[in-house]
Amino acid sequence: MVRIDVMADRIHRLGRRELLSGLGAAVLTPATAGIAIAQARPSLKLQARAGAVALRPGGPDTPMWSLQGPAPDPGLRFGRGEAPEIALLNELPIPMVLNWHGIDGVASAEPLAARAPLAAGGAESVVIPLRHAGTFMCDFRLLGDAQARPSRPRPLIVAESEAAAVDRDEVFLVEDWRLRADGTALAPGVDPGDTTPLYTVNGLTSLDITARPYQRIRFRFINGCQRNVIAVKIEGHDVRVMALDSQPAEPFLARGGALVLAPGGRVDAFVDITASPGAASSILLHDGKEARPIARLVVSNEPPVRAVPLPAAPPLPSNGLPAQLDLKNALRFDVKFGGPQADWVTPSNFASAAAPAFRARTGRTVVLALTNRAAIASVFHLHGHHFRLLDRLDDGWKPFWLDTLAIESGETQRIAFSAEYSGRWLIETMAADWAAPRLVRWYSVE
């Protein structure tokens, strides 16, 4: 077992002196004054279907399942305030349900609690109001454990109304795979045995990102791994964190240019290219066992974009989450996971008729004490709302919002959120191990 902080420290020894040990915890699209997005799209058609990905140089493509849409860009792109109608066709041989990571307050789209799994061959549509700008993720992995094939997520990019001070916008989607000897890929939730682990970025086993001197790039880092907590480090560059889990943060430098992301976690970061023309910097990934290069940031010999680097960027525009939380009068609940799982069920056995983990009135502040009883780190994901990670003394909170958190074995972390949206919402947990099952409960805001 490798602790999350130790994993980060191993990257530390490979390069710069320190790195960010934050948890949040990706496709080359040019941007001018902001992100170029399509104008109002009344609908978007997605098909859950069989596909393939090239994971073995010189070998046949590996079969998998994915969400396929009309555009080659794996990032679905909209603007804040739009409300696209998503039409979904299930061409898989199994039932599936869409899971929208980071989309708050859309009760009609809540998987399992509001929307039943879509049967094989079925079709449905749902309107998704995009109240917040940021980096999101959509997948159908809730029912993916022990299936015939693993599935891939799709990034969802919602642009701010105001132009961001960047030259380019890069999605950086990290995925993990377990390959059998015959080259087929194993789904999570089962013992990986002697399969070979492999990582991709944007579906590629290697990637060079070319940039011009003094260019500013917005990286949208997404941990699309099935279970793994990962650390990602850009050698030789300052990485300024601008948002975590779809919500703007007060900008801060990632120490050592490194980030730690829980599965499903997202980090938006600005990187200014100040290295000399021809320089190539490794982008390293640490998965708790070893560090490996997964991409390179290469400075081209083209003329600089400007004469001098841009000044420090201001914070991204607020999405309107509350500035303060009333901790004194908060409702408080204990939520335990790992160990005996009497209150948690696999998604295939979910029934909203079961007792909720907790109930809250609309507008109340809720504080959850999250205790991980498992022998290894576990991941907690809250649907419907974003939360603040509280300080150890419960007298304040970290200056960012999250929807996903990794918690070490035996530890308790406290989080707080404003129960703004009424409805039935899921909470998810899983141990950071390929064979661990994904488990769910639900909570009610009335």
Side-chain angles (χ1 to χ4, degrees):
M1 177 181 69
V2 179
R3 284 182 58 90
I4 296 167
D5 50 358
V6 173
M7 174 178 69
D9 185 60
R10 289 184 179 177
I11 285 187
H12 151 104
R13 293 198 294 270
L14 290 173
R16 299 301 179 205
R17 305 169 89 184
E18 297 175 316
L19 60 80
L20 170 71
S21 291
L23 288 171
V27 205
L28 311 176
T29 302
T32 54
I35 304 171
I37 60 170
Q39 296 301 314
R41 297 185 224 182
S43 65
L44 174 68
K45 294 183 180 179
L46 294 175
Q47 299 90 35
R49 59 170 56 163
V53 60
L55 299 179
R56 296 179 298 160
D61 290 351
T62 297
M64 52 78 190
W65 291 335
S66 66
L67 283 172
Q68 299 182 21
D73 184 344
L76 310 173
R77 293 178 181 266
F78 297 95
R80 182 181 180 183
E82 291 187 296
E85 181 179 2
I86 310 296
L88 175 65
L89 176 62
N90 182 12
E91 299 180 7
L92 301 176
I94 62 168
M96 52 86 69
V97 61
L98 287 185
N99 193 1
W100 301 90
H101 296 254
I103 300 292
D104 290 349
V106 186
S108 59
E110 183 63 2
L112 303 182
R115 301 192 76 82
L118 182 63
E124 66 177 12
S125 64
V126 60
V127 174
I128 307 290
L130 301 174
R131 302 182 179 93
H132 298 166
T135 303
F136 305 85
M137 190 178 81
C138 178
D139 66 32
F140 53 95
R141 292 173 170 177
L142 272 175
L143 301 176
D145 284 5
Q147 294 293 349
R149 298 179 185 178
S151 64
R152 301 189 63 193
R154 289 288 296 262
L156 169 64
I157 311 303
V158 182
E160 294 85 6
S161 302
E162 302 85 349
V166 297
D167 299 303
R168 286 169 51 190
D169 193 295
E170 292 273 354
V171 177
F172 197 94
L173 171 66
V174 179
E175 299 172 81
D176 62 346
W177 308 84
R178 294 295 184 274
L179 295 184
R180 302 182 181 95
D182 62 1
T184 59
L186 186 72
V190 296
D191 185 353
D194 59 356
T195 56
T196 301
L198 181 71
Y199 293 88
T200 57
V201 177
N202 300 343
L204 302 173
T205 55
S206 64
L207 175 67
D208 276 1
I209 300 170
T210 303
R212 293 170 60 183
Y214 296 152
Q215 197 170 42
R216 175 174 288 170
I217 303 177
R218 177 179 186 164
F219 281 95
R220 300 176 185 266
F221 294 99
I222 304 173
N223 182 352
C225 296
Q226 300 281 357
R227 298 291 189 270
N228 273 0
V229 180
I230 59 173
V232 178
K233 172 185 171 64
I234 302 180
E235 291 193 317
H237 288 79
D238 289 339
V239 176
R240 186 170 295 273
V241 176
M242 304 297 292
L244 293 165
D245 285 357
S246 316
Q247 295 300 327
E250 189 66 29
F252 61 93
L253 285 176
R255 289 173 293 175
L259 306 162
V260 180
L261 298 95
R266 290 93 59 208
V267 176
D268 287 37
F270 289 3
V271 176
D272 290 301
I273 307 303
T274 57
S276 302
S281 300
S282 291
I283 302 179
L284 303 174
L285 177 144
H286 205 303
D287 61 359
K289 296 179 181 178
E290 62 177 325
R292 68 194 77 197
I294 56 168
R296 295 194 309 165
L297 182 56
V298 180
V299 184
S300 74
N301 291 312
E302 296 181 69
V305 172
R306 52 186 57 86
V308 295
L310 288 171
L316 294 173
S318 170
N319 278 326
L321 270 62
Q324 298 294 324
L325 294 173
D326 182 11
L327 297 181
K328 181 179 179 180
N329 297 305
L331 298 172
R332 295 177 179 268
F333 304 97
D334 293 333
V335 177
K336 296 179 174 63
F337 43 86
Q341 304 288 350
D343 297 324
W344 296 86
V345 298
T346 60
S348 60
N349 291 320
F350 176 82
S352 59
F358 58 90
R359 296 181 183 271
R361 292 289 184 182
T362 305
R364 291 295 300 272
T365 296
V366 177
V367 172
L368 302 180
L370 307 175
T371 300
N372 177 19
R373 300 178 298 185
I376 61 174
S378 293
V379 178
F380 173 87
H381 176 60
L382 183 74
H383 286 233
H385 299 81
H386 277 74
F387 58 80
R388 294 279 200 182
L389 178 59
L390 299 184
D391 296 331
R392 291 292 186 180
L393 297 178
D394 201 8
D395 58 354
W397 46 78
K398 307 301 182 185
F400 45 76
W401 294 90
L402 302 172
D403 61 30
T404 303
L405 184 65
I407 302 174
E408 292 288 1
S409 172
E411 290 188 352
T412 296
Q413 296 279 6
R414 289 175 173 80
I415 64 172
F417 68 96
S418 176
E420 181 178 357
Y421 302 110
S422 60
R424 295 184 173 193
W425 309 101
L426 291 185
I427 53 178
E428 298 179 45
T429 185
M430 57 188 179
D433 179 82
W434 187 271
R438 188 186 300 266
L439 301 169
V440 295
R441 296 182 68 183
W442 68 282
Y443 70 99
S444 175
V445 178
E446 302 165 350

